[in-house]
Amino acid sequence: MAQFDLILLGPPGAGKGTQASRIVEDYSIPHISTGDMLRAALKNQTAMGLEAKRYMDAGELVPDSVVIGIVKDRLQESDTAAGFLLDGFPRTIPQAEALDDSLASIERGVSKALAILVDEDELVRRLTGRRICRDCQVPFHMVFSPPAEEGVCDKCGGELYQRDDDSESTVRNRLAVYSQQTEPLIAYYDRQGVLARIDGEQSPEQVYAHLKEAIGRP
Ligand code: AMP
């Protein structure tokens, strides 16, 4: 069977993280999130993590050369042999081109680019209420999916926090960056014939059902 190389596209707050967890569990492929990798680098105080922090806190993109390097290294690992789900990468045309080149060099290519689409005001509402577990990264929401005990993760008991980049002004900037730099990828993958557009303003279960339909494998 051909590899199963998936990309999850969409603005911040579209629910990519939540849907990604389900996809990778159902299809047994690794979840590769550049945002999670950058936050891990920051937590470990690596030079790259500290360099990335100033972009992340401002809602700007980390330079292409940095993230392309991280993803290329990650794709060398053996668990990606049968496929992967990229979440939060690519975010610019040069990143998409670099990904295409490195997959082409091993006779692979993007199987499907899944774009989850949500209106801007709804994204602001979602992002500013978001809280994440410091230990297991599971997302909660103060309005839509509050934890049983305030500030504590239901899954592992870890501490919940608001990401520095989920404040309203940073959120607005992240959305502007998305529309300028990342949205053009929708047309890019459409031209390649691998794009699926998913309405993200439905329940997480409905979004997931549409994603599975678009993926088209049992
Ligand atoms: P995320 O968790 O995907 O929303 O990513 C959080 C932040 O990490 C973004 O706002 C960017 O600053 C940075 N980041 C994550 N992925 C990328 C990427 N592919 N290119 C550039 N910056 C990224």
Side-chain angles (χ1 to χ4, degrees):
M1 196 195 288
Q3 282 89 7
F4 203 25
D5 297 344
L6 301 177
I7 291 177
L8 205 48
L9 277 177
K16 296 192 299 295
T18 307
Q19 298 297 340
S21 315
R22 298 181 186 205
I23 294 172
V24 297
E25 195 170 311
D26 270 11
Y27 294 93
S28 302
I29 48 176
H31 178 195
I32 303 180
S33 155
T34 41
D36 286 351
M37 288 193 280
L38 291 167
R39 282 183 290 277
L42 181 57
K43 198 172 171 186
N44 296 329
Q45 305 262 307
T46 68
M48 184 194 64
L50 295 171
E51 157 83 3
K53 179 176 163 54
R54 54 195 182 97
Y55 297 99
M56 296 169 77
D57 285 352
E60 301 290 340
L61 294 185
V62 172
D64 284 339
S65 57
V66 175
V67 276
I68 289 171
I70 303 180
V71 171
K72 278 194 171 163
D73 287 350
R74 181 64 184 83
L75 292 179
Q76 304 278 327
E77 289 178 36
S78 57
D79 65 343
T80 63
F84 53 77
L85 176 69
L86 274 171
D87 163 12
F89 182 96
R91 260 179 159 96
T92 63
I93 296 281
Q95 291 179 18
E97 289 170 346
L99 176 66
D100 278 347
D101 288 349
S102 70
L103 289 176
S105 73
I106 48 170
E107 290 174 11
R108 287 168 68 160
V110 171
S111 322
K112 210 59 160 190
L114 305 155
I116 307 181
L117 304 171
V118 175
D119 172 76
E120 173 159 347
D121 286 341
E122 172 66 13
L123 292 170
V124 172
R125 225 155 53 90
R126 289 185 184 185
L127 287 166
T128 52
R130 181 158 80 164
R131 299 293 180 273
I132 316 267
C133 174
R134 222 176 260 292
D135 296 332
C136 72
Q137 323 301 326
V138 163
F140 292 84
H141 195 282
M142 280 156 47
V143 181
F144 308 124
S145 58
E149 190 184 334
E150 202 186 315
V152 180
C153 175
D154 287 351
K155 249 196 173 165
C156 77
E159 182 198 355
L160 301 185
Y161 75 109
Q162 182 178 40
R163 278 170 39 178
D164 289 340
D165 56 352
D166 281 343
S167 68
E168 177 151 356
S169 61
T170 307
V171 161
R172 294 268 177 205
N173 193 38
R174 288 166 66 201
L175 294 175
V177 167
Y178 171 80
S179 71
Q180 285 156 17
Q181 307 205 50
T182 309
E183 217 164 22
L185 293 179
I186 293 182
Y188 179 93
Y189 288 113
D190 204 9
R191 279 195 299 276
Q192 291 193 2
V194 294
L195 180 75
R197 286 187 177 82
I198 312 288
D199 174 5
E201 294 194 44
Q202 315 175 74
S203 71
E205 290 68 33
Q206 285 168 319
V207 172
Y208 190 58
H210 286 115
L211 284 167
K212 284 194 87 156
E213 229 173 80
I215 292 169
R217 286 199 196 179

